[in-house]
């Protein structure tokens, strides 16, 4: 009685190989050399089939991308472009009409009722010291009478910096570059000069900010001085040393805290002033460092934002990253 063999054993028999040879699928088996040669041919056929399949997939992918991103023959893109042009024209026409309407409503040149001739400027000059406590009339006007405008300007600086970060930031995952190409080549003269100048520059910038309500200066000018000191230090000692105390995270935190403090402080002033409520913040003695109410605090907030913005702009345009 014959026994039933497994499929693997049957495939090793002569009858199976002979039947495959008759069908033209394999070379006639005669010895182990033929088996190894047959196996090599089979593997070569598999590799060839895999290459053909891979090429076919790549070709289909290219055709798909070409059909999807065909800007000339894609119907959806053509329709979008037409709609975009129409809305662009409508928006420009609307904007021009609004501007012309605003200009037509302006008072005539030289009119006695113009703001330049009314009581606003006289109020700033005559009662600025009494109402703001600031010896510097310009600072009192910017950070008290028109503090809301200054708040908007500070936010514009912060938003502009965020935009530059988005547009110029390098992708660390796809690009590995050494910071050495941006570092100074150990310039002894530059580093020596920086060691001498950077501390006085920082001190002078702080003085300009803190004394902005007493004389010429303030947050914008003092922040610009400190920002220039940071840039000088960076050019002299490079990113490695500068990033020990000032990074992108540092800038974001400082700017957020400064803008939040400014907003909270002036919201309090706006609320009390609009509701005719007496403010509990004293104006102090004019000429003293702790005077003029919240102006000193607001100068510090504006100065930190301006200094960080200047440094961040320089770093992003030079390197594209912190």
């Amino acid at each position: 009685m014959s026994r039933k063999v497994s499929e693997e054993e049957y495939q090793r028999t002569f009858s199976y190989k002979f039947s495959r040879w008759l069908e033209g699928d394999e070379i006639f088996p005669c010895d182990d050399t033929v088996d190894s040669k047959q196996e090599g041919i089979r593997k070569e056929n598999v590799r060839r089939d895999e290459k053909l399949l891979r090429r076919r997939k790549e070709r289909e992918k290219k055709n798909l991308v070409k059909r999807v991103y065909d800007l000339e023959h894609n119907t959806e893109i053509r329709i979008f472009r037409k709609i975009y042009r129409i809305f662009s024209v409508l928006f420009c026409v609307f904007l021009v009409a609004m501007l012309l309407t605003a200009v037509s409503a302006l008072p005539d040149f030289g009119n006695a009722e113009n703001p330049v001739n009314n009581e606003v400027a006289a109020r700033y000059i005559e009662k600025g010291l009494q109402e703001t406590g600031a010896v510097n009339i310009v600072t009192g006007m910017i950070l008290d009478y028109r503090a809301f405008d200054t708040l908007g300007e500070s936010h514009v600086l912060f938003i502009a910096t965020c935009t530059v970060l988005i547009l110029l930031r390098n992708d660390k995952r796809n690009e590995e570059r050494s910071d050495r190409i941006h570092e100074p080549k150990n310039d002894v003269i530059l580093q020596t000069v920086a060691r001498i100048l950077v501390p006085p520059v920082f001190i002078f910038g702080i003085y300009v900010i803190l004394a902005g309500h007493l004389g010429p200066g303030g947050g914008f000018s003092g922040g610009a001085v400190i920002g220039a000191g940071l840039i000088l230090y960076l050019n002299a000692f490079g990113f490695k040393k500068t990033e020990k105390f000032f990074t992108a995270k540092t800038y974001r935190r400082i700017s957020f805290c400064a803008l939040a403090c400014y907003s909270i402080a002036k919201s309090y002033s706006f609320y009390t002033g609009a509701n005719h409520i007496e403010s509990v913040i004293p104006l102090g003695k004019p000429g003293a460092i702790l005077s003029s109410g919240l102006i000193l605090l607001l100068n510090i907030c504006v100065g930190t934002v301006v200094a960080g913005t200047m440094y961040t702009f320089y770093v992003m345009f030079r390197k594209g990253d912190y």
Side-chain angles (χ1 to χ4, degrees):
M1 183 176 181
S2 62
R3 66 182 183 88
K4 184 178 181 180
V5 297
S6 62
E7 184 177 355
E8 291 78 6
E9 293 179 352
Y10 174 68
Q11 290 178 358
R12 290 196 295 268
T13 60
F14 177 81
S15 59
Y16 173 79
K17 295 177 181 179
F18 183 74
S19 62
R20 295 293 302 275
W21 174 73
L22 291 177
E23 296 175 357
D25 294 337
E26 295 182 0
I27 299 176
F28 182 76
C30 57
D31 53 16
D32 295 338
T33 305
V34 176
D35 290 340
S36 60
K37 185 176 182 181
Q38 177 182 344
E39 182 67 18
I41 294 175
R42 187 185 65 81
K43 291 182 179 179
E44 182 66 25
N45 293 336
V46 171
R47 285 195 294 268
R48 185 173 64 252
D49 293 340
E50 291 178 351
K51 290 182 180 179
L52 292 175
L53 182 60
R54 188 164 52 250
R55 290 177 183 176
R56 186 181 306 158
K57 288 183 178 180
E58 292 178 356
R59 186 165 58 251
E60 291 177 354
K61 184 178 180 180
K62 290 181 180 180
N63 293 334
L64 178 62
V65 173
K66 185 177 180 181
R67 289 196 301 270
V68 173
Y69 295 99
D70 188 3
L71 302 181
E72 296 181 358
H73 304 91
N74 193 303
T75 306
E76 295 181 357
I77 295 179
R78 290 204 305 267
I79 296 175
F80 173 78
R81 284 182 172 180
K82 291 181 180 179
I83 297 175
Y84 178 80
R85 292 171 182 172
I86 293 173
F87 275 95
S88 299
V89 173
L90 293 177
F91 175 77
C92 292
V93 171
F94 174 76
L95 181 61
V96 171
M98 292 292 294
L99 293 176
L100 291 177
T101 303
V103 171
S104 63
L106 293 175
D108 298 332
F109 182 77
N111 191 332
E113 299 297 329
N114 288 353
V116 71
N117 299 323
N118 61 19
E119 68 278 2
V120 175
R123 178 64 173 260
Y124 291 163
I125 297 173
E126 295 174 0
K127 295 188 177 183
L129 180 61
Q130 176 185 351
E131 294 178 346
T132 66
V135 178
N136 186 350
I137 299 177
V138 176
T139 301
M141 179 185 66
I142 293 175
L143 293 178
D144 192 283
Y145 291 117
R146 302 187 61 183
F148 187 77
D149 298 340
T150 307
L151 175 63
E153 294 169 3
S154 300
H155 280 82
V156 166
L157 288 175
F158 182 70
I159 294 172
T161 309
C162 294
T163 305
V164 173
L165 285 169
I166 294 172
L167 294 177
L168 299 182
R169 187 174 181 85
N170 289 329
D171 192 350
K172 295 181 180 179
R173 295 173 299 178
N174 298 331
E175 185 175 0
E176 294 292 336
R177 296 191 303 175
S178 174
D179 289 346
R180 186 60 187 171
I181 61 175
H182 305 287
E183 299 288 339
K185 302 301 184 287
N186 301 323
D187 192 329
V188 178
I189 298 177
L190 178 60
Q191 292 180 354
T192 304
V193 172
R195 288 190 180 96
I196 298 173
L197 290 182
V198 169
V201 168
F202 285 165
I203 294 174
F204 179 69
I206 295 173
Y207 164 76
V208 172
I209 293 175
L210 297 180
H213 58 296
L214 305 178
F220 285 101
S221 52
V225 173
I226 295 176
L230 288 171
I231 294 173
L232 175 59
Y233 186 89
L234 172 64
N235 285 323
F237 300 102
F239 289 91
K240 186 176 182 180
K241 288 188 176 181
T242 309
E243 289 176 353
K244 291 182 179 179
F245 63 91
F246 200 98
T247 61
K249 185 181 294 185
T250 305
Y251 167 72
R252 288 195 295 266
R253 290 177 177 176
I254 291 177
S255 298
F256 174 78
C257 293
L259 293 175
C261 181
Y262 190 113
S263 302
I264 294 172
K266 289 316 297 180
S267 296
Y268 168 79
S269 298
F270 296 153
Y271 178 80
T272 55
N275 293 277
H276 304 287
I277 300 175
E278 185 67 23
S279 177
V280 298
I281 300 175
L283 296 180
K285 182 180 178 180
I289 186 66
L290 297 177
S291 62
S292 67
L294 295 171
I295 290 181
L296 176 60
L297 177 63
L298 300 182
N299 263 329
I300 296 174
C301 295
V302 173
T304 53
V305 173
V306 173
T309 301
M310 282 190 57
Y311 176 77
T312 303
F313 275 160
Y314 179 81
V315 171
M316 295 304 299
F317 279 101
R318 178 183 174 183
K319 181 186 174 185
D321 195 3
Y322 273 105

